[in-house]
Amino acid sequence: MLAYLKKRWNNWRLEKQRRAEEADKAIWRVYYTSRSIDDIAQMTGTQFEEFLARLFECMGYTDVRMTPSNDQGADLICLSPIGITTVVQAKRWSGPVGNSAVQELLGAMRHYGCDEGIVVTNSRFTPAAISLVESGSDVTLCDKQWLQEKMHEFLPASVPEFHRDMFDEIIDGWIKMTRRFASERTTRRKRFSHGHNTFTEVLRYAAEGKGKELTVAEIKKLAHLHINASEAEANYREINRKLEGVRAKQRHIEEEIADLDEVLSPHSSDKYDDR
């Protein structure tokens, strides 16, 4: 009996460990999911900023941090690979980006005391914006082509093999992030905002609600909840897309029925008889 119970205990422990490892790998896969320009077009502004933060880190920039929302025209603050303080403005636009973005960035550079500024967009820049930069400034304009090239060069084409030490570094980075969020908030927020929340926003709300940094277990739990919510949202969008297709077919059938009714109506028959 004791041998049987010991075997059951070991099997339970191994199964629990296996599930924990699979859960960690799910977080790993989401973190390292590569993006395309088409994916970026579907991002929210905050998601695009988070994506650029990861991209710039892969490019060798350090101390990359996001600024508060709508803060002086700056979205990211970081140090270039050669140690130059840099401010980044993210423009996820469908149309061309004008010179107002350059002017905002110049103001952000002065506000944060940065020596260089970068505007990154998934679109293109107007001639006026290009001309303003060419007239002499420390601003670099990075358009859709630049973004595609850097994504291809620095982001993995596939998810790399799971590495425990690197995974722990990702979790540790999130813990430090929640520590900063908790220290920056003067009043505690009780609940999440309505609508979609990025994982960074989830961590911000959780840290502000708790009033201090989150634990490893809490971050992993939030990550899995966020993954499940994102999958549910993706499924919802896919169902809506299929529903729109069905509605379009239904409208087409109704139009054909209306045309047929018109042809078969007595008035139409008389008209054809006259011919």
Side-chain angles (χ1 to χ4, degrees), residues 61-62 73 95 145 148 261 274:
Y61 285 75
T62 58
Q145 181 178 351
Q148 285 179 315
D261 287 342
D274 291 342

Side-chain angles (χ1 to χ4, degrees), residues 252-272:
H252 179 69
I253 292 173
E254 290 173 349
E255 291 172 357
E256 290 184 335
I257 292 174
D259 292 340
L260 183 61
D261 287 342
E262 183 178 355
V263 171
L264 297 178
S265 67
H267 177 73
S268 297
S269 299
D270 294 340
K271 181 172 64 176
Y272 285 109

Side-chain angles (χ1 to χ4, degrees), residues 133-192:
V133 171
E134 289 177 345
S135 64
S137 68
D138 295 314
V139 173
T140 302
L141 302 183
C142 301
D143 61 8
K144 176 181 178 179
Q145 181 178 351
W146 177 93
L147 188 55
Q148 285 179 315
E149 292 174 353
K150 297 304 179 185
M151 289 166 58
H152 178 74
E153 180 179 0
F154 291 99
L155 294 183
S158 59
V159 178
E161 184 178 355
F162 183 82
H163 191 283
R164 174 58 61 180
D165 290 340
M166 293 178 63
F167 177 77
D168 291 341
E169 288 181 7
I170 293 172
I171 299 296
D172 185 60
W174 284 336
I175 291 176
K176 293 177 180 177
M177 185 185 298
T178 61
R179 184 185 308 157
R180 188 178 77 250
F181 289 155
S183 65
E184 291 174 349
R185 186 69 177 175
T186 55
T187 59
R188 295 186 180 183
R189 202 170 283 176
K190 299 297 183 181
R191 62 181 65 182
F192 291 105

Side-chain angles (χ1 to χ4, degrees), residues 47 196-197 227-239:
Q47 287 175 324
H196 177 78
N197 293 281
I227 291 171
N228 292 337
S230 297
E231 290 176 349
E233 184 179 355
N235 291 335
Y236 176 77
R237 288 197 301 267
E238 179 63 16
I239 291 173

Side-chain angles (χ1 to χ4, degrees), residues 30-172:
V30 170
Y31 181 82
Y32 279 104
T33 299
S34 56
R35 299 286 187 176
S36 68
I37 288 293
D38 291 336
D39 292 327
I40 289 175
Q42 304 303 319
M43 292 179 182
T44 64
T46 303
Q47 287 175 324
F48 185 43
E49 293 168 14
E50 293 177 347
F51 170 76
L52 288 182
R54 178 189 159 205
L55 176 61
F56 273 75
E57 287 178 344
C58 293
M59 291 169 56
Y61 285 75
T62 58
D63 196 23
V64 181
R65 60 189 188 277
M66 297 173 61
T67 65
S69 179
N70 299 321
D71 189 44
Q72 304 297 330
D75 295 313
L76 303 174
I77 305 294
C78 53
L79 290 176
S80 74
I82 60 175
I84 298 176
T85 53
T86 306
V87 60
V88 180
Q89 187 179 68
K91 292 293 186 184
R92 189 200 56 78
W93 286 10
S94 57
V97 179
N99 59 1
S100 61
V102 179
Q103 294 168 346
E104 291 173 359
L105 189 65
L106 290 171
M109 290 170 61
R110 289 192 296 269
H111 177 75
Y112 286 102
C114 293
D115 297 320
E116 289 186 354
I118 302 175
V119 183
V120 183
T121 182
N122 62 320
S123 181
R124 59 185 177 85
F125 294 94
T126 64
I130 296 173
S131 176
L132 182 59
V133 171
E134 289 177 345
S135 64
S137 68
D138 295 314
V139 173
T140 302
L141 302 183
C142 301
D143 61 8
K144 176 181 178 179
Q145 181 178 351
W146 177 93
L147 188 55
Q148 285 179 315
E149 292 174 353
K150 297 304 179 185
M151 289 166 58
H152 178 74
E153 180 179 0
F154 291 99
L155 294 183
S158 59
V159 178
E161 184 178 355
F162 183 82
H163 191 283
R164 174 58 61 180
D165 290 340
M166 293 178 63
F167 177 77
D168 291 341
E169 288 181 7
I170 293 172
I171 299 296
D172 185 60

